[in-house]
Amino acid sequence: MVNDTQLKGDLAAAARDHLWMHFARMGAYQDHPAPVIDRAEGAYLWDTHGHKVLDGLSGLFVVQVGHGREELAEVMAEQARKLAFFPVWGYATEPAIRLAERIAGYAPGDLNRVFFTTGGGEAVESAWKLAKQFFKLTGKPLKHKVISRMTAYHGTPQGALAITGLPPMKQAFEPLTPGGFRVPNTNIYRAERMGAPTDPHEFGVWAADRIEEAILFEGPDTVAAVFLEPVQNSGGCFTPPPGYFQRVREICDRHDVLLVSDEVICGFGRHGTMFAAEKFGYQPDIITCAKGMSSGYGPIGAMIATDRLMEPFLKDKAWFPHGYTFAGHPVSAAVSLANLDIFERENLNQRVLDNEDALGATLRKLLDLDIVGDVRGDGYFWAVELVKDKTTKETFGPAERETLIKQFLPKALFRNGLYARPDDRGEPVIQVAPPLTCGQAEFDEMERILRTTLTEAQQLL
């Protein structure tokens, strides 16, 4: 008879020998087993050893309504019994129709056309393909290039990766899809290093003007789209300066360039509105979204386009030769509808708006630590930037980053009871993005564990 200890050992061995984990150094698990997450409820996770951990990252910016919602599991089972799968390739299913209608109702302006995918990278890929074909169909066939920001992450497919502004993530796969070009991001904490003004309004104008500069340099007749996250994830929660998106919208209109709001993370309540473009006061031509649509209870994403972008596809025999087998999956669509019902019933968007200042204030207590240089974010999406010297903002060197971000922090945070994201794709940061159901008690717990772990890190360094 196999006992519990043997089962745990078998799982660890099977993970080591067969499971190729994503974005992971697989060699690290040859002698040290990967943590195996066994169950979750509300804002907490338990591994197979019974260790309880606060999910300070909503899985991966995903589980907006919290883990273990029985009603969502019931919806999935009911839909699977009725219709488990059928593609939306020239056919429709009721869950896909209802969800498309619901999302169009939430989206700002005339963003009424919902093209389903199974994730965020696919949504970004779809948006670039749509932009290129739209301009071909409307007599501007040279418009194919994309402008995005430095250190921004937009996904792993070849096209989305070309839009991504992280050279180390791309080098192993080059040459990529041609046409991606980079401009400065909105990291005002590092404005001086970029030669930019430090006044927030002036900085916003400066950063937006770099987009127009890039469009003019490449030639407006060759640029199809600008891809921007409302709050940039990679690099650590760069919020938009005042007036930034309004000026970008003017620039895009002036040069007939599509503005794509990449809301794979920022959509569905992360900032207190269904789509963050609404909160930050701008109208996109396309929204890409995923993660929070189903709160992770089913894989699903979408590209949402304006009626204008659909128009040429309604003429003659035009079609969009693009799609995914599992896009708009009936079970994922059904659970997404139920997830959005919870948003409305529990007023989660307003909960985020009511609590975002408290979350920010709680995390800013960490600024008394020598290792913490900046705390920034919006809604339930925050980053703590780590520095070697607070006065000069000196960052850590490669060897120190390896020790701090890759080796120490992931294990120490988890050991101390918090799942968060240490990241150094820009400067070293720890990101937190708790489920939208969390409140002050969870904020305090995150701050306490971060303080304990960062104090340990200071001593280590």
Side-chain angles (χ1 to χ4, degrees):
M1 185 175 181
V2 178
N3 61 37
D4 188 53
T5 302
Q6 287 175 302
L7 281 173
K8 292 170 185 173
D10 290 345
L11 277 175
R16 179 195 64 213
D17 295 342
H18 303 293
L19 179 61
W20 197 330
M21 288 176 281
H22 297 202
F23 292 96
R25 294 177 174 180
M26 293 303 296
Y29 302 108
Q30 297 307 298
D31 300 317
H32 304 282
V36 180
I37 305 303
D38 183 55
R39 63 187 181 92
E41 182 178 347
Y44 290 91
L45 314 164
W46 286 262
D47 69 12
T48 49
H49 297 282
H51 180 51
K52 183 181 179 182
V53 178
L54 175 61
D55 184 358
L57 204 65
S58 302
L60 193 61
F61 316 108
V62 172
V63 189
Q64 319 293 60
V65 302
H67 298 276
R69 292 274 191 162
E70 289 286 344
E71 66 187 279
L72 297 185
E74 291 298 327
V75 166
M76 297 174 76
E78 181 181 351
Q79 181 59 47
R81 283 190 290 264
K82 181 179 180 182
L83 177 66
F85 173 75
F86 206 78
V88 291
W89 292 39
Y91 295 85
T93 66
E94 183 175 351
I97 295 168
R98 297 299 182 198
L99 183 58
E101 180 183 41
R102 185 90 166 258
I103 289 172
Y106 291 139
D110 67 337
L111 284 155
N112 292 320
R113 305 292 182 157
V114 181
F115 183 95
F116 286 116
T117 66
T118 60
E122 290 177 356
V124 170
E125 193 87 359
S126 302
W128 193 3
K129 292 177 78 172
L130 172 61
K132 289 195 278 190
Q133 191 181 1
F134 170 78
F135 283 117
K136 284 180 171 62
L137 292 174
T138 54
K140 297 183 178 182
L142 296 181
K143 290 177 82 71
H144 69 283
K145 298 174 184 175
V146 164
I147 308 296
S148 60
R149 296 186 290 205
M150 294 174 183
T151 71
Y153 174 78
H154 292 282
T156 56
Q158 290 282 312
L161 195 55
I163 298 172
T164 291
L166 294 161
M169 292 193 65
K170 302 192 282 189
Q171 290 164 356
F173 312 110
E174 291 173 333
L176 300 173
T177 304
F181 298 90
R182 237 62 61 208
V183 295
N185 56 47
T186 59
N187 182 7
I188 195 168
Y189 181 67
R190 299 286 179 181
E192 292 178 347
R193 188 171 66 184
M194 294 187 283
T198 56
D199 174 79
H201 289 85
E202 292 178 5
F203 179 70
V205 172
W206 176 88
D209 284 352
R210 301 290 74 75
I211 293 174
E212 183 164 39
E213 187 177 81
I215 292 171
L216 293 172
F217 182 82
E218 292 301 322
D221 60 336
T222 71
V223 178
V226 173
F227 277 69
L228 303 173
E229 298 162 275
V231 175
Q232 183 175 318
N233 168 38
S234 182
C237 299
F238 302 147
T239 56
Y244 173 77
F245 274 112
Q246 291 70 33
R247 193 173 185 91
V248 172
R249 179 71 268 179
E250 293 171 2
I251 290 166
C252 288
D253 289 342
R254 185 154 54 243
H255 300 293
D256 194 16
V257 171
L258 303 181
L259 175 55
V260 182
S261 187
D262 184 354
E263 305 211 17
V264 171
I265 288 176
C266 296
F268 301 104
R270 184 54 53 189
H271 296 280
T273 50
M274 278 301 182
F275 295 105
E278 178 184 353
K279 184 174 187 179
F280 296 115
Y282 66 97
Q283 178 62 49
D285 299 292
I286 300 173
I287 288 177
T288 56
C289 57
K291 297 181 184 288
M293 189 189 304
S294 72
S295 283
Y297 285 78
I300 194 165
M303 169 188 71
I304 315 168
T306 61
D307 290 332
R308 172 196 171 215
L309 296 181
M310 174 60 86
E311 284 179 9
F313 293 93
L314 300 176
K315 298 176 182 177
D316 304 321
K317 296 180 181 179
W319 66 309
F320 187 35
H322 176 61
Y324 301 99
T325 298
F326 296 109
H329 191 284
V331 176
S332 292
V335 78
S336 294
L337 285 164
N339 174 62
L340 296 172
D341 287 342
I342 292 174
F343 265 82
E344 295 185 0
R345 185 175 71 241
E346 299 184 8
N347 206 8
L348 291 183
N349 283 328
Q350 188 59 49
R351 180 180 179 83
V352 171
L353 296 175
D354 290 344
N355 286 285
E356 61 179 341
D357 289 344
L359 175 54
T362 302
L363 293 173
R364 288 192 182 99
K365 292 178 182 178
L366 297 168
L367 287 167
D368 67 352
L369 296 175
D370 290 340
I371 198 173
V372 176
D374 192 29
V375 175
R376 55 182 177 262
D378 182 87
Y380 274 34
F381 187 33
W382 289 78
V384 178
E385 181 168 335
L386 309 179
V387 294
K388 191 171 183 177
D389 188 303
K390 292 182 73 155
T391 303
T392 64
K393 301 181 184 179
E394 180 186 358
T395 191
F396 295 98
E400 293 164 319
R401 289 181 181 221
E402 173 68 24
T403 298
L404 182 65
I405 299 295
K406 299 296 192 298
Q407 297 178 12
F408 175 73
L409 283 174
K411 294 177 182 177
L413 286 166
F414 194 83
R415 181 187 69 243
N416 290 335
L418 178 64
Y419 171 60
R421 188 185 206 184
D423 188 16
D424 68 341
R425 291 177 296 176
E427 303 301 342
V429 298
I430 299 176
Q431 287 180 291
V432 294
L436 310 188
T437 52
C438 289
Q440 190 61 52
E442 291 81 11
F443 303 164
D444 289 338
E445 186 175 357
M446 282 194 294
E447 191 273 339
R448 176 180 56 78
I449 296 171
L450 286 167
R451 178 175 296 279
T452 297
T453 308
L454 290 174
T455 300
E456 293 173 0
Q458 287 179 161
Q459 296 168 351
L460 173 70
L461 293 170

